[in-house]
Amino acid sequence: MPTGFITALVGESGKVYELDTNHPFDKLYTSSQDAMKMEAKEKGMNYEPGVFKIKAHLMVDRSEKNISKVIYQNEKGEKIEIPIQGITPVDVQPNSDAK
């Protein structure tokens, strides 16, 4: 299991969105799997090991349609760009009822 870090996401536009994280990849993966097991059990679905889900609260340009790459920094400090699919930024509006 790799123990590096996901350091940034890259938008389809090519803009790099840095992540401020100190969570090693192996710990993120383990916690993701635990959460997916619980979700599958609650919904009466099958657990799919190996699928990795992570949520990043990140501000991106409104014009950004998709995230196309993850930048991973390995244990040696080398940064690797990994192409991805399926991450579309969601516009989150502030809750006007919040106190």
Side-chain angles (χ1 to χ4, degrees):
M1 173 71 67
T3 58
F5 298 87
I6 296 173
T7 62
L9 301 176
V10 180
E12 208 170 63
S13 67
K15 186 168 181 179
V16 176
Y17 299 97
E18 301 289 334
L19 293 174
D20 183 23
T21 180
N22 290 325
H23 306 290
F25 185 81
D26 60 331
K27 292 194 187 322
L28 286 173
Y29 179 80
T30 301
S31 65
S32 168
Q33 295 307 293
D34 292 343
M36 289 179 63
K37 285 178 191 175
M38 285 179 39
E39 181 180 4
K41 185 177 179 181
E42 289 171 3
K43 294 182 177 181
M45 300 170 55
N46 291 328
Y47 164 65
E48 297 178 50
V51 174
F52 181 47
K53 292 183 181 180
I54 184 172
K55 291 183 181 180
H57 297 278
L58 184 67
M59 294 184 69
V60 300
D61 292 341
R62 280 190 173 227
S63 61
E64 202 68 76
K65 300 294 181 207
N66 289 298
I67 302 298
S68 61
K69 297 177 190 174
V70 169
I71 298 179
Y72 170 75
Q73 182 175 325
N74 67 18
E75 300 86 350
K76 298 176 185 175
E78 301 164 329
K79 290 191 177 179
I80 302 161
E81 290 187 7
I82 303 168
I84 58 170
Q85 294 179 0
I87 297 180
T88 304
V90 176
D91 190 11
V92 177
Q93 299 296 325
N95 182 352
S96 59
D97 296 330
K99 295 181 181 182

